[in-house]
Amino acid sequence: MRGERPQVMQDRAVRTRRAILEAAAVVFENRGYGAAKLTEIVKLANVTKGALYFHFDSKEDLAQAVIDAQVSMHVPVTPQEFKAQEFVDVGMVFSHRLLHDVLMRGSARLTLEQNGRELDRAAPYQGWIDLHTALMVEAKARGELLPHVDPSGPSRLVVGAFAGLNVLAQTLGLELDREVSALYTSVMPSVVVPAVADRLDTAPGRGARVLHGGNEAHRCDCSTPSGPSGPSGPSGPSGPSAPAPAEPVAVG
């Protein structure tokens, strides 16, 4: 727009891109990659096709951006007394966000789908493994791990198990947060020394407590990233809300 400040234009572009990503996540979650239509995404995001193609080259490019958001929009864990607790918190927070953040759910579904074989589905898994391993390396350096534990082992185990639990919870109608809590409660005593294991919080609702303190609100805005770079799985609860519409624009 004539006379508009660069910062205003940049802010609008960020909002437009975010609206497109969230709309795409809704459609990918509900329909899957193969059946998703760009026309539906444009309508839901309340943007023009020109705006969509300004930010994304194709449906594949848009789907890849939704997949990548799973790790790139990871909320950094709050520092804790033990690095092992931060290790637990990564998964518990992601479990909580899957319930409340449609972008995370759309990303998780795309990660496990077999359609769209050209998409890079390995990146989220490797990103989560790297993040978990870094925390385990720090935990080992601080004497929190049992002597025989290789930091990469529990990291791959938890990422893979989380993915499976997400599938199981979705298929059987289970509460993912409780399933993930049971995972950490079972695994961590074989990873960390007893003095640390006794003080870990792996109880259901841990993700909400980390994000909101003592206020375990069932509804929250968990979608706003607070920094850069859990495990993947299929879509979470059905019936997500549509993203807040962006202003109709011709380009970003």
Side-chain angles (χ1 to χ4, degrees):
M1 294 181 182
R2 184 177 302 172
E4 195 168 37
R5 295 195 304 272
Q7 184 60 48
V8 174
M9 295 176 66
Q10 182 179 359
D11 290 345
R12 178 180 287 112
V14 170
R15 291 196 305 270
T16 300
R17 187 179 190 277
R18 178 71 188 205
I20 295 169
L21 280 174
E22 291 185 348
V26 170
V27 176
F28 288 137
E29 182 191 13
N30 288 341
R31 304 194 184 282
Y33 178 77
K37 304 296 184 185
L38 291 180
T39 52
E40 186 176 1
I41 294 171
V42 165
K43 181 178 180 181
L44 189 59
N46 194 28
V47 299
T48 65
K49 272 196 173 182
L52 186 149
Y53 284 114
F54 178 84
H55 291 280
F56 304 100
D57 294 335
S58 62
K59 175 179 166 181
E60 176 188 344
D61 187 37
L62 177 54
Q64 190 65 57
V66 172
I67 289 175
D68 293 344
Q70 186 179 141
V71 177
S72 67
M73 294 186 177
H74 159 67
V75 177
V77 294
T78 304
Q80 303 292 330
E81 179 182 4
F82 299 113
K83 286 298 174 180
Q85 182 66 66
E86 295 179 26
F87 177 88
V88 170
D89 290 350
V90 170
M92 296 301 291
V93 167
F94 187 59
S95 174
H96 180 73
R97 293 187 73 201
L98 277 173
L99 181 62
H100 297 289
D101 186 346
V102 68
L103 187 51
M104 295 298 102
R105 294 199 301 273
S107 174
R109 170 162 181 170
L110 288 172
T111 303
L112 284 188
E113 267 199 356
Q114 297 304 308
N115 290 327
R117 295 182 183 275
E118 65 276 13
L119 297 173
D120 178 12
R121 294 180 169 85
Y125 288 110
Q126 192 59 56
W128 288 122
I129 291 171
D130 291 346
L131 176 61
H132 282 79
T133 300
L135 290 170
M136 283 283 95
V137 167
E138 291 187 68
K140 189 174 185 68
R142 294 168 60 161
E144 298 176 19
L145 304 189
L146 292 169
H148 69 278
V149 173
D150 177 357
S152 64
S155 303
R156 292 193 303 272
L157 173 65
V158 165
V159 171
F162 191 110
L165 286 174
N166 201 359
V167 174
L168 186 71
Q170 181 71 12
T171 303
L172 300 182
L174 304 176
E175 186 177 341
L176 179 61
D177 189 65
R178 291 191 175 277
E179 300 305 312
V180 175
S181 168
L183 168 66
Y184 287 117
T185 300
S186 300
V187 168
M188 295 310 291
S190 64
V191 173
V192 299
V193 297
V196 174
D198 290 342
R199 298 175 65 179
L200 294 181
D201 181 1
T202 60
R206 172 64 186 178
R209 290 191 293 277
V210 171
L211 290 174
H212 312 296
N215 177 24
E216 296 181 51
H218 290 288
R219 301 300 302 172
C220 69
D221 179 11
C222 306
S223 60
T224 303
S226 54
S229 115
S232 305
S235 59
S238 60
S241 300
E247 301 174 36
V249 289
V251 294

